[in-house]
């Protein structure tokens, strides 16, 4: 049996009639930007997250950039982030005109280390971006407590929609939360899309202006740094069809990660079961000979990926600096991580095939 890393068409086939009906209704409505479907999805997303506001935008990367702009990041400021999360936060911060400082991560969780982030802050620091990586909920409360006053916390929830901590849902813990609806996400569109959540009326107003040219009113540019970044009405309609399935899909992903963790027990693959509140976006383990292990899995018919192989400060075209505590743990994680197939519509037989391959190859 060959097991794909992901196969998004399975969601389409499962919900084909509902998705096509929603698409047809939207096409026939004649309203394709910021219509009723868009407004309804923003309301439903905010309720899901536990925030007062959700602002739809064109992509997860746009969500990060506009969120950073909204909290004051820009030329002359700095943004602190972890260096093992694919470079998305760094790319967004640089696009906003800010400088980027990389902090280190916790060795066990591979999530941003609060003390390292705090040590990287200077009087120029406008924001810290904390990524809930792989669907693991970071401790935003501990991060807030460690940071200097006045530094905004931006949650990157691209991989963690529906994840929760004892203090609330991811996307409602910091000043703003950012989401991606890329097709492989736990809540995936049939194209690109993103959103920003917050509970501040002032920030929500700024975000709504920034996503549409910086307009304070139609054709009047009242805020600098605006752009055209709108979530399509069609994508909003399709996301509304999928949203009621999110909790069940997240539960299934958690089950899959837990199965893999049991299979990895006693092998060289270190893969932890999901913690309470995690959503299992990716099933990521660490192996001291990652490439060899992945090659053996490929021979066994199991597809893998690496999230992510290059730390931000080693990216050829990213201009970032490393904070005072260094980035040793982030670098080590990038050298060892390997992702196993993990999507909600994997069959039991496919999951068992992966488990058997792990037991045999790890």
């Amino acid at each position: 049996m060959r097991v794909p890393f992901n196969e998004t068409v399975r969601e389409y086939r499962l919900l084909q009639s509902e998705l096509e009906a929603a698409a047809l209704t939207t096409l026939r409505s004649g309203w394709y930007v910021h219509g009723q479907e868009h407004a309804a999805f923003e309301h439903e997303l905010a309720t899901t997250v536990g925030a007062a506001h959700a602002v739809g935008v064109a992509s997860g990367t746009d969500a990060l950039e506009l969120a950073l702009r909204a909290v004051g990041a820009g030329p002359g400021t700095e943004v602190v982030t972890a260096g093992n999360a694919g470079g998305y936060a760094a790319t967004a911060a640089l696009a906003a005109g800010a400088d980027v400082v990389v902090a280190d991560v916790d060795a066990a969780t591979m999530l941003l280390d609060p003390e390292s982030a705090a040590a990287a802050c200077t009087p120029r620091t406008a924001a810290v971006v904390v990524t809930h990586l792989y669907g693991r909920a970071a401790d935003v409360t501990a991060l807030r407590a460690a940071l200097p006053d006045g530094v905004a916390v931006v949650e990157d929830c691209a991989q963690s929609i529906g994840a929760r901590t004892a203090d609330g849902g991811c996307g409602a813990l910091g000043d703003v939360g950012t989401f991606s609806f890329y097709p492989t996400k736990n809540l995936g569109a049939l194209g690109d899309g993103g959103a920003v959540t917050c509970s501040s009326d002032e920030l929500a107003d700024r975000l709504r202006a920034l996503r549409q040219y910086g307009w304070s009113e139609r054709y009047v540019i009242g805020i600098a740094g605006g752009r055209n970044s709108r979530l399509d009405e069609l994508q909003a309609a399709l996301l509304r069809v999928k949203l009621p399935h999110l909790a069940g899909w997240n539960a299934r992903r958690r089950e899959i990660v837990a199965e893999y963790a049991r299979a990895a027990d006693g092998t060289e693959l270190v893969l932890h079961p999901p913690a309470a509140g995690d959503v299992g976006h990716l099933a990521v383990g660490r192996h001291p000979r990652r490439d060899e292990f992945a090659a053996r899995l490929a021979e066994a018919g199991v597809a893998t990926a690496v999230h992510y192989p290059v730390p931000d400060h080693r990216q050829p075209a990213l201009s970032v600096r490393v904070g005072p505590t260094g980035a040793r743990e982030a670098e080590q994680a990038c050298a060892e991580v390997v992702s196993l197939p993990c999507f909600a519509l994997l069959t039991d037989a496919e999951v068992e095939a992966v488990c058997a391959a792990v037991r045999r190859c790890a």
Side-chain angles (χ1 to χ4, degrees), residues 31-35 37-42 45 54-60 62 66 179-182 187 189-196 211-212 228-240:
W31 198 314
Y32 306 129
V33 175
H34 287 183
E37 294 290 340
H38 181 273
F41 176 69
E42 286 186 328
L45 177 62
V55 179
V57 296
S59 71
D62 279 5
L66 296 180
F179 293 83
S180 168
F181 305 121
Y182 185 76
L187 180 67
L190 275 70
D192 250 322
V196 185
R211 74 175 173 190
Q212 189 154 259
N228 176 2
S229 181
R230 295 179 289 227
L231 176 63
D232 289 346
E233 183 77 356
L234 181 60
Q235 296 300 341
L238 300 173
L239 288 165
R240 291 189 69 204

Side-chain angles (χ1 to χ4, degrees), residues 98-120:
D99 296 325
V100 177
V101 184
V102 170
D104 210 355
V105 300
D106 178 85
T109 66
M110 296 183 282
L111 302 175
L112 181 66
D113 179 82
E115 297 302 325
S116 179

